[in-house]
Amino acid sequence: LSIYIVFYILYNHVWEDVTLHNSSLPPLAIKNPECLGLLHQLDRSTDTWVQHYCILKDGCLYFYAGIRSTQASGGLYLQGYRVNEQILSFKQSVIELKPPSEEFKTFYFCAENKTENQRWITALKASIKKWLPLHQAIQDFMNRPLEETRM
């Protein structure tokens, strides 16, 4: 079991290093983004929409004030989040990012139009799906036949 703990520490350390590195880059310097463009985020405290230039990469959504920003102004780790399309009270189609537990915040975004919303929804789902939760990866590994697990 100790090999799993080492793997977990190394995996998280590398992923955090890459994410920290990416957040220090201008948006167009991030290599091979899964999706990019303008998104409006609902600020629930003021009930207003705030525009961000966004980059989706490896299960993280980076927020920038604009395309010429020198670094990200924020980010959202998406592991465990569910992506849904919702209709808000004013009949606008929005992207809902629902957290894995109630202790985290639900986020609402919308793109410029329904086609762009669908493009983001598809990309967000694919990006999240690529990253199995560690406990699921370990369980999958442990359930494999013994001869497949030998090193």
Side-chain angles (χ1 to χ4, degrees), residues 104-147:
F104 298 106
K105 182 176 161 187
T106 298
F107 294 91
Y108 296 94
F109 296 93
C110 69
E112 296 298 315
N113 56 53
K114 192 165 177 59
T115 303
E116 281 294 292
N117 265 5
Q118 287 305 315
R119 182 176 73 90
W120 275 101
I121 288 170
T122 300
L124 287 161
K125 285 181 177 179
S127 187
I128 292 168
K129 191 176 182 180
K130 281 195 318 189
W131 300 95
L132 267 182
L134 181 65
H135 71 275
Q136 182 65 51
I138 291 171
Q139 184 177 5
D140 290 353
F141 180 80
M142 297 299 283
N143 289 336
R144 291 169 55 196
L146 184 58
E147 60 273 6

Side-chain angles (χ1 to χ4, degrees), residues 26-111:
L28 299 181
I30 295 178
K31 294 184 184 345
N32 304 315
E34 295 156 353
C35 200
L36 55 90
L38 292 176
L39 283 177
H40 302 267
Q41 180 183 1
L42 179 60
D43 181 339
R44 309 257 343 221
S45 64
T46 60
D47 205 29
T48 58
W49 291 92
V50 179
Q51 180 176 284
H52 300 283
Y53 188 80
C54 296
I55 301 282
L56 176 64
K57 175 73 175 173
D58 295 334
C60 190
L61 186 61
Y62 300 93
F63 303 105
Y64 295 86
I67 196 167
R68 290 180 178 75
S69 296
T70 57
Q71 64 184 27
S73 56
L76 178 59
Y77 298 106
L78 298 171
Q79 187 172 345
Y81 274 76
R82 290 189 322 275
V83 182
N84 303 301
E85 182 177 22
Q86 296 288 339
I87 305 296
L88 290 186
S89 58
F90 45 89
K91 307 249 190 298
Q92 182 177 6
S93 173
V94 300
I95 303 162
E96 177 188 62
L97 292 175
K98 197 140 182 81
S101 80
E102 295 299 317
E103 64 189 278
F104 298 106
K105 182 176 161 187
T106 298
F107 294 91
Y108 296 94
F109 296 93
C110 69

